[in-house]
Amino acid sequence: MRAIRRFTVRTVLPAELAALGELVHNLRWSWHPESMDLFTEVDPVLWEQSGHDPVAMLGAVDSTRLRELAADRRFLRRLADAADDLREYMTGPRWYQTLPGAAEAIAYFSPEYGIAAALPQYSGGLGILAGDHLKTASDLGVPILAVGLLYRHGYFTQSLSPEGWQLEHYPSLDPGGLPLSLLKEADGAPVKIRIGLPEQRTLHAQIWVAQVGRVPLLLLDSDVADNDAAARDVTDRLYGGGTDHRLMQELLLGVGGVRAIRAYCRITGHAEPEVFHTNEGHAGFLGLERIRELTEARLSFDEAIEAVRAGTVFTTHTPVPAGIDRFPADMIERQFGGDNAWPTVPVERILALGAEEEPGRFNMAIMGMRLAQRVNGVSELHGEVSREMFKILWPGFDLDEVPIGSITNGVHAPTWVGREIMELAGRELPSLVEKARGWEGIQKISDADIWAIRGRLRTRLVEGARTRLRKAWRDRGASDAELGWVDEALDPSVLTIGFARRVPSYKRLTLMLRDPDRLRELLLDPDKPVQIVIAGKAHPADEGGKKLIQQIVKFADTHDVRHRIVFLPDYDMALGQLLVQGCDVWLNNPLRPLEASGTSGMKSALNGGLNLSIRDGWWDEWYDGTNGWAIPTADGVADPDRRDELEASALYDLIDHEVADRFYDRAADGLPRRWLEMVRHTLVTLGPKVLAGRMLRDYVVDLYTPAAASARALSADAYGSAKTFAAWRLKVTSAWPGVRVEHVEATGIGDTPEVGAALELRATVALGDLDPGDVLVQAAYGKVGQHDELIHPRYLDLTSAEVGDDGKGYYTGTLPLEHTGAFGYTVRVVPSHPLMAAHAELGLIAVPEEPAGMTNGTLR
């Protein structure tokens, strides 16, 4: 028989142990070793059996043991010290509190969060990044208020069939058994938010709060009695269901998330956010909800858009159009029109925000960008790719000026770095993980110490992999009598390569299998063997990804190599930590440039691992030739099979002739000196760059603080500036067809221009119905290509000489001729207003219709 209802009965702690509950319900323990040591002391066996989940452990610990601890003075002293440390951590000023003009609060929206294995609300890199973002915000004192959804079945757990096919399982999660608390009103009633749906239906959700250090994380849960069956299932699983289901989740995250924030701030007194950061387009509807709030407060739709845009940051994570959420436009029309229309938010205006090139489609990323004044990708290369992908939103502007910047991702070192390395580094570099300077102190650590720790971490990985491998084979139907070989699987002294990713086709899980015989030779080399540990999940609907996993598993099942290559099912945070800490080399071989950033290699680098990667994502900008190896790419090869063949061959050659050679090149004392030199160089050069602390500082300085200033400026005087700016934008947009560059004259360089000369420009511009202060007239100049295109031009603001009665303006300026070679220039007009964040923001530009008078020449 099956239970009709499932819930968790929580432990009642003795009064002397009350502080233990305080520690357990703040997820800071997940990156605080001293707290985990304390939990281990409660019951070491249960701590391991629970998978290092303190809530589950306390739910299983015997009451007799709790009474023993309540009478143990030594344990109580340690508990009191830990509780005092947490309270000081929660209340003391940190880096952010020293900044002038910083936002009082920042709302951060993401569909998934990887905080700890004990809170399985993530599927891959997006969620892990979001978790690291929150933890780092807590460490630096950044006042983030985060929003997500509580998935009752999480993503999925993974096992393998006897044939090596991925099987998905969806275990039920009871919030009562998780480190969460229900947000309640003063009278004890659970807070619930409501969203209207078509056909007179309503979506209700309650709000669970996870405390991530100093950061509250609000998780909306639709599994409440107020909902019908379909609505209850909205938060059943992460990235599950069809298009209707996905739309409901994104409505709840965006619209419901804003309403949850309002309720939380009302009840707790938390500061209202000035900045709203949406982590990918899934939460894009938050902008519509904020527009609704403002229009109901008597702003027009256009005025509300300007106020919302000013304080919104949008981060895109996908480098391919297929990765963007798109809905049929009629589905959006049904949700926001008809009997469910918002009176102050016309549905046709909503549809226009998400309109794209393909008619009838509503693009969440495009809506997110139209509703955000600041947009960024997650690595320099990804910023370039994103500017190319979305340039249609800013027609006429060169790619360099498309207003999408980049902040390269980082990782939260206390979560991902092995404790031994943290302690070793800490002896030389106190607070190493919070600082961007001082990494040169790594040079003081001896080769012997580094190598010894690397050996311990590798051994721990081998032991953990054997445990997981044995369980995986049992799940596939093998008996213990068949599994004696598992005790010899992997070798703590062998060069260990890790590969752990989600398994879409572009990440090329099976590139290593391109030449199975060559791979077998590398694995079984008698003098310099290689072993590979692999993990990854394919999306449940991705049959192609599942086939890739099956191919890897089939090869790894082969008797002669199964001790050298293993696939470990159910890739999660715990396995991820084991892998990035224990592997000597981190392998990453996506199709360039389809990796937006990729952070697993960063985690490996912080643990003394070396990267072996295609130059994509973060590795493209930070590979320096000696901090790992770059797999050559065959970018110009159109045939995908031929490209894979070439890049796989390059991968084999690198492993054989460089990676393995250096690992096994030992000095008389048994140490691989040249290898350790690369490890040391990697730590010194990459350490300060790959930290999430660097990433979050960049967000605060480059995006959050300017966004807060813009939001304050537009909301001042009862949104007077927003009204003025919206009126100005409407005027400029309406009048722009009348703006033209009519004529450009150049003097001062003669027939043979030379370096050092100066070119005098005079441009005649028709302003139409605009005033000179509405525009900026610029000369764009620099090197030109074969088709007279300006290559990374420089810009000079031209000075207004006069404005005639005919509405024409005359502008002048002097261009310096500083470099030899092909040179060209032109003149352009763009809107100008103090509240704009970029020249391209309005997507308006005027350039000469004909190149006549636009001189290109060669400087001597």
Side-chain angles (χ1 to χ4, degrees):
M1 292 186 293
R2 298 184 64 183
I4 61 172
R5 186 183 174 201
R6 171 184 175 148
F7 55 89
T8 299
V9 181
R10 291 193 175 186
T11 301
V12 177
L13 293 170
E16 296 86 350
L17 301 180
L20 192 59
E22 182 181 346
L23 292 176
V24 165
H25 285 91
N26 188 312
L27 283 155
R28 186 215 183 192
W29 61 258
S30 66
W31 71 92
H32 190 245
E34 290 78 8
S35 294
M36 287 189 273
D37 288 345
L38 193 68
F39 298 151
T40 303
E41 191 170 341
V42 171
D43 191 312
V45 174
L46 285 178
W47 177 242
E48 292 301 321
Q49 290 177 350
S50 69
H52 296 183
D53 178 348
V55 176
M57 179 191 69
L58 287 182
V61 71
D62 188 85
S63 59
T64 302
R65 176 58 180 160
L66 292 177
R67 288 195 295 271
E68 290 175 0
L69 292 171
D72 185 335
R73 293 184 178 180
R74 186 185 63 83
F75 180 83
L76 293 178
R77 283 195 299 271
R78 291 188 63 195
L79 176 58
D81 289 344
D84 288 343
D85 180 74
L86 176 60
R87 292 174 193 132
E88 181 180 350
Y89 172 87
M90 294 289 288
T91 57
R94 306 187 81 79
W95 169 77
Y96 189 84
Q97 282 65 50
T98 67
L99 301 180
E104 287 191 29
I106 298 135
Y108 182 88
F109 287 65
S110 177
E112 52 176 300
Y113 291 91
I115 309 294
L119 188 64
Q121 300 292 305
Y122 58 92
S123 71
L126 181 71
I128 299 300
L129 172 72
D132 282 9
H133 200 100
L134 300 196
K135 294 172 187 176
T136 306
S138 176
D139 291 342
L140 296 180
V142 182
I144 281 179
L145 176 57
V147 182
L149 302 180
L150 180 69
Y151 305 99
R152 290 299 182 111
H153 298 286
Y155 186 42
F156 67 87
T157 59
Q158 176 197 49
S159 65
L160 298 174
S161 73
E163 297 76 30
W165 189 258
Q166 171 179 293
L167 304 175
E168 299 91 29
H169 312 277
Y170 296 91
S172 296
L173 301 175
D174 174 24
L178 300 173
L180 304 171
S181 59
L182 197 59
L183 183 65
K184 296 182 179 179
E185 299 283 2
D187 62 2
V191 174
K192 291 179 183 174
I193 59 96
R194 297 166 181 80
I195 299 173
L197 301 177
E199 300 176 358
Q200 307 300 317
R201 294 175 62 229
T202 302
L203 174 61
H204 305 258
Q206 59 190 1
I207 305 163
W208 296 92
V209 182
Q211 196 64 41
V212 186
R214 298 163 69 117
V215 174
L217 169 57
L218 312 182
L219 298 172
L220 280 72
D221 173 18
S222 70
D223 189 14
V224 294
D226 311 72
N227 285 328
D228 58 32
R232 291 189 76 149
D233 284 345
V234 166
T235 56
D236 60 347
R237 62 186 63 171
L238 179 58
Y239 302 144
T243 305
D244 287 341
H245 188 264
R246 188 70 167 263
L247 177 60
M248 290 300 101
Q249 287 190 336
E250 298 192 3
L251 281 168
L252 184 57
L253 177 60
V255 176
V258 174
R259 296 177 184 179
I261 282 177
R262 303 306 185 207
Y264 182 84
C265 292
R266 171 178 57 81
I267 291 168
T268 65
H270 191 287
E272 290 281 355
E274 296 179 280
V275 175
F276 286 74
H277 182 182
T278 175
N279 192 32
E280 197 46 87
H282 311 288
F285 291 125
L286 72 87
L288 299 184
E289 170 64 7
R290 294 174 62 213
I291 289 171
R292 183 198 62 78
E293 291 177 331
L294 292 171
T295 53
E296 290 184 359
R298 303 307 175 93
L299 266 63
S300 71
F301 187 90
D302 292 310
E303 293 163 354
I305 279 185
E306 300 306 335
V308 166
R309 288 184 71 253
T312 301
V313 174
F314 180 88
T315 298
T316 176
H317 291 264
T318 179
V320 290
I324 295 170
D325 282 339
R326 301 161 73 230
F327 295 104
D330 58 0
M331 183 180 291
I332 302 298
E333 189 171 10
R334 283 196 302 273
Q335 174 58 41
F336 292 103
D339 65 347
N340 197 47
W342 290 350
T344 60
V345 185
V347 67
E348 61 270 15
R349 297 298 302 269
I350 295 175
L351 293 172
L353 288 171
E356 56 163 57
E357 288 182 286
E358 182 181 340
R361 306 297 295 178
F362 187 91
N363 188 306
M364 294 294 289
I366 284 179
M367 178 182 68
M369 292 182 185
R370 286 177 172 145
L371 289 178
Q373 196 172 39
R374 290 163 180 84
V375 181
N376 70 286
V378 290
S379 68
E380 287 185 1
L381 180 59
H382 181 235
E384 295 174 14
V385 172
S386 298
R387 288 189 286 275
E388 177 67 37
M389 281 178 61
F390 297 105
K391 64 184 179 183
I392 191 172
L393 297 180
W394 297 275
F397 286 89
D398 291 338
L399 282 181
D400 289 348
E401 281 207 289
V402 169
I404 300 176
S406 66
I407 292 179
T408 303
N409 285 343
V411 299
H412 185 246
T415 295
W416 300 105
V417 177
R419 187 167 181 177
E420 295 89 344
I421 288 182
M422 294 287 281
E423 291 172 350
L424 180 66
R427 293 204 296 266
E428 298 293 344
L429 302 170
S431 302
L432 174 69
V433 299
E434 294 185 4
K435 296 182 178 179
R437 298 183 301 275
W439 283 78
E440 294 78 7
I442 291 289
Q443 304 291 358
K444 300 178 183 178
I445 303 173
S446 72
D447 283 354
D449 282 344
I450 294 176
W451 188 240
I453 286 177
R454 289 297 316 146
R456 286 202 291 275
L457 294 175
R458 195 185 309 110
T459 299
R460 185 182 304 154
L461 169 60
V462 167
E463 293 171 350
R466 289 172 180 170
T467 299
R468 287 175 175 260
L469 191 62
R470 184 178 297 277
K471 180 181 183 303
W473 275 91
R474 284 174 176 159
D475 290 344
R476 295 173 67 185
S479 65
D480 287 340
E482 301 173 82
L483 298 179
W485 64 271
V486 172
D487 293 332
E488 305 299 324
L490 306 179
D491 184 330
S493 66
V494 166
L495 169 63
T496 304
I497 298 176
F499 186 102
R501 317 301 309 276
R502 288 187 303 110
V503 190
S505 59
Y506 78 87
K507 292 182 185 286
R508 296 193 296 185
L509 169 67
T510 55
L511 186 69
M512 66 182 76
L513 295 183
R514 187 72 191 187
D515 184 343
D517 293 335
R518 185 79 189 276
L519 177 59
R520 184 174 274 104
E521 289 174 5
L522 294 173
L523 296 172
L524 301 178
D525 190 300
D527 300 315
K528 48 179 189 178
V530 172
Q531 59 192 16
I532 306 177
V533 184
I534 305 166
K537 291 180 176 179
H539 187 280
D542 182 5
E543 296 297 307
K546 293 180 184 180
K547 288 179 182 177
L548 297 179
I549 290 175
Q550 188 178 43
Q551 290 170 25
I552 279 285
V553 172
K554 183 177 180 180
F555 182 85
D557 284 352
T558 309
H559 282 70
D560 61 333
V561 297
R562 64 185 183 183
H563 64 300
R564 285 282 185 260
I565 181 169
V566 298
F567 180 90
L568 303 180
D570 208 21
Y571 181 37
D572 61 5
M573 286 187 70
L575 179 54
Q577 289 167 328
L578 200 64
L579 283 164
V580 298
Q581 292 171 17
C583 288
D584 301 295
V585 174
W586 197 259
L587 174 61
N588 187 31
N589 47 233
L591 276 170
R592 188 180 190 273
L594 302 185
E595 184 78 86
S597 183
T599 56
S600 295
M602 295 179 176
K603 299 163 190 168
S604 179
L606 285 175
N607 282 286
L610 300 176
N611 277 265
L612 172 61
S613 177
I614 294 286
R615 289 194 64 166
D616 202 1
W618 73 275
W619 189 237
D620 182 68
E621 66 194 85
W622 288 337
Y623 167 68
D624 67 6
T626 54
N627 56 4
W629 296 271
I631 303 169
T633 56
D635 291 342
V637 178
D639 180 9
D641 286 338
R642 177 62 176 159
R643 178 172 178 169
D644 285 356
E645 182 181 340
L646 291 171
E647 294 183 6
S649 179
L651 171 62
Y652 298 138
D653 287 343
L654 277 172
I655 294 174
D656 193 7
H657 303 305
E658 295 196 35
V659 180
D661 279 355
R662 184 161 293 208
F663 183 85
Y664 289 107
D665 179 15
R666 307 295 168 88
D669 57 5
L671 297 177
R673 299 287 183 184
R674 292 196 304 144
W675 182 274
L676 292 170
E677 181 182 327
M678 289 184 71
V679 169
R680 199 184 301 276
H681 175 73
T682 293
L683 289 168
V684 171
T685 59
L686 288 181
K689 295 178 181 177
V690 302
L691 293 180
R694 184 272 315 153
M695 174 191 73
L696 195 58
R697 286 182 174 93
D698 288 347
Y699 272 104
V700 168
V701 173
D702 297 340
L703 297 178
Y704 292 163
T705 301
S710 295
R712 291 168 188 162
L714 268 76
S715 63
D717 300 324
Y719 291 95
S721 294
K723 296 174 182 178
T724 301
F725 185 58
W728 174 85
R729 182 174 185 149
L730 180 61
K731 179 188 79 168
V732 170
T733 302
S734 300
W736 201 256
V739 177
R740 299 184 305 278
V741 179
E742 293 195 340
H743 185 67
V744 179
E745 297 177 5
T747 59
I749 58 173
D751 295 331
T752 56
E754 296 179 349
V755 170
L759 186 150
E760 302 292 337
L761 283 184
R762 179 179 172 86
T764 303
V765 177
L767 296 175
D769 294 329
L770 299 182
D771 299 320
D774 294 327
V775 301
L776 180 65
V777 180
Q778 296 179 310
Y781 64 98
K783 292 186 176 182
V784 291
Q786 292 182 346
H787 304 289
D788 291 343
E789 72 278 11
L790 287 165
I791 300 172
H792 303 302
R794 298 174 65 183
Y795 297 94
L796 174 71
D797 295 350
L798 301 184
T799 303
S800 176
E802 57 180 300
V803 178
D805 295 337
D806 57 359
K808 294 180 180 180
Y810 301 90
Y811 296 83
T812 62
T814 302
L815 301 185
L817 307 185
E818 300 171 332
H819 303 285
T820 60
F823 178 89
Y825 69 88
T826 189
V827 172
R828 71 177 191 176
V829 188
V830 293
S832 178
H833 193 285
L835 293 175
M836 289 174 58
H839 293 321
E841 187 171 318
L842 272 61
L844 300 174
I845 187 171
V847 296
E849 294 182 6
E850 298 293 337
M854 306 301 104
T855 300
N856 290 342
T858 300
L859 300 188
R860 299 178 180 175

